[in-house]
Structures are given as structure tokens and as C-alpha cells.
Amino acid sequence: MAKLAENTENLRERLLHSGPRSLTEAELLAVVLQRGLCAEPAMRLSRELLAHFGGLRAALRASAKDLKSQRGIGVAHAALLKALPELARRYYDGSLAPGQAIRSPADTEAFLKARLRDLPHELFCCLYLDNRHRVILFDEMFRGTIDGTSVYPREIVKQALAVNAAALIVAHNHPSGVTEPSQADERITRRLKSALELVDIRLLDHLIIGEGKCSSLASRGVV
């Protein structure tokens, strides 16, 4: 028992001393699951979860019911695992809070991936910016199948004028995970760009979020 307690302490100490990247996915998950468990059972449970669900992301996306069906996972551990992705999303929300300037495309991509990549439905969002590319507002505009009939440039322009935006970045997700833009995506982008130009507002990019990837229509010359 003393050896197990020592292993538990070593895992936590290694995380704090060398950083979380020094731990494997199984070890990181074991740190989360160690509440009420010794290191060896926590590691065993962690490996069983990863093997059953096919990886860390799939395990964290699993329903509470599916998690609790696994041996060793009760209400407390299931709730903890369900809280982790939401904590990550809220962490990235803070990286582009109102008044925060966009420092790089990578910041924008990380923010949008955290918000959109795991949604089961398509969501079209707008990031409204001032003339110094500081965030004014992040707004979820349209939900459902994103095509030429479900996205209304008029509504986006109206909101941009209401918040006195000088530029926009728009994005939507593909729940299929494929980030290749469709012809409808390109048509929407061109329509929106033309509508914004009429009121002297720039469309900086249209990003498509997929399975861990992001496609930029600006880089393809559509914007």
C-alpha cells in the first residue's frame, strides 16, 4: 500500500515538476481519476477507458451513461470527466475575450476549434472586431445545415453595424470532420464579403472547423 501511495505522489510530482506534457494520455487521465484511488488502480482504469473508447478524445466525448457503464466509474468520476472538455472550452474562451486583440491566426483557430469541433450539429459563428482587430463580440448566428438558404448576410451586416465592427472573421463547423469547403461554403463567403463591402466592413476570413483541423477560405483566395 505504501508503494502505491508513493506511485500516486510520484505521478503528481512529475506533472508539477516537469509539466503535463511529460505525462502520457493514460497518466494524465490517471491523475484525474486518482481521487479516491491509488496509482495502480487509477492507471489500470485509465488504460481500460482509453482502450474501450478508442482514445482520450472519444472517452471525454462519451455520454455520462456510457462512462458509468465502465467498471470503476461512478457518478463522481463520470461528472469529472464530463467537466474537463467544458473547462477547456471556457479556458480558450478567455483567450479571445472582448477587448482582447487577435495576436495570430493560431489564437483564432484554437479558440474556434474549442468552441465548434465537438458539436453534433453545424453552427455558423461571427467574430466581430474593431479597427485594431480587438474582439468586440463572438456571436453564434445560425444553427443547422449551413447552406446558401440558412445563412443571411443581411443579419450579419445588421449585427456588425450595431456593434460598430470594422472587420469580421466567420466560421462554421463540419460535424463530419472533413474541412474541405463545399461550393455552398464558397458561395456564402462571396455573398457575405460583397454585403459587408457595401458598408465598408472587411471580411478577414471564413474558417471551417473539422476533426482537429481548420480550413481557411482566405488562404484559398475566396476572401
Side-chain angles (χ1 to χ4, degrees), residues 22-96:
S22 67
L23 275 65
T24 65
E25 286 187 355
E27 289 171 336
L28 284 169
L29 192 54
V31 170
V32 173
L33 297 172
Q34 273 178 7
R35 189 168 183 264
L37 295 173
C38 295
E40 187 175 306
M43 279 299 300
R44 183 169 61 247
L45 181 57
S46 173
R47 292 191 180 107
E48 288 174 357
L49 280 174
L50 294 177
H52 176 80
F53 289 107
L56 180 61
R57 186 159 176 262
L60 294 179
R61 292 181 68 186
S63 68
K65 180 180 178 180
D66 287 342
L67 288 170
K68 288 190 292 181
S69 71
Q70 301 304 300
R71 182 169 60 92
I73 298 293
V75 172
H77 281 136
L80 189 58
L81 291 171
K82 294 303 295 178
L84 288 176
E86 183 59 27
L87 283 171
R89 273 189 286 272
R90 296 188 187 193
Y91 170 81
Y92 281 109
D93 278 355
S95 67
L96 286 181

Side-chain angles (χ1 to χ4, degrees), residues 28-161:
L28 284 169
L29 192 54
V31 170
V32 173
L33 297 172
Q34 273 178 7
R35 189 168 183 264
L37 295 173
C38 295
E40 187 175 306
M43 279 299 300
R44 183 169 61 247
L45 181 57
S46 173
R47 292 191 180 107
E48 288 174 357
L49 280 174
L50 294 177
H52 176 80
F53 289 107
L56 180 61
R57 186 159 176 262
L60 294 179
R61 292 181 68 186
S63 68
K65 180 180 178 180
D66 287 342
L67 288 170
K68 288 190 292 181
S69 71
Q70 301 304 300
R71 182 169 60 92
I73 298 293
V75 172
H77 281 136
L80 189 58
L81 291 171
K82 294 303 295 178
L84 288 176
E86 183 59 27
L87 283 171
R89 273 189 286 272
R90 296 188 187 193
Y91 170 81
Y92 281 109
D93 278 355
S95 67
L96 286 181
Q100 182 77 36
I102 293 178
R103 295 171 297 179
S104 70
D107 286 345
T108 308
E109 289 184 17
F111 172 82
L112 292 169
K113 283 178 185 176
R115 293 296 298 256
L116 300 177
R117 67 178 287 185
D118 288 327
L119 296 178
H121 54 270
E122 289 191 46
L123 187 66
F124 190 97
C125 302
C126 298
L127 198 58
Y128 297 92
L129 310 173
D130 67 12
N131 57 5
R132 295 186 181 180
H133 292 178
R134 293 175 300 197
V135 175
I136 300 173
L137 176 69
F138 174 77
D139 200 7
E140 299 177 356
M141 295 291 293
F142 309 106
R143 182 185 297 252
T145 301
I146 304 301
D147 57 31
T149 62
S150 61
V151 175
Y152 302 99
R154 175 181 68 254
E155 296 300 319
I156 297 173
V157 172
K158 181 180 176 181
Q159 180 70 294
L161 291 172

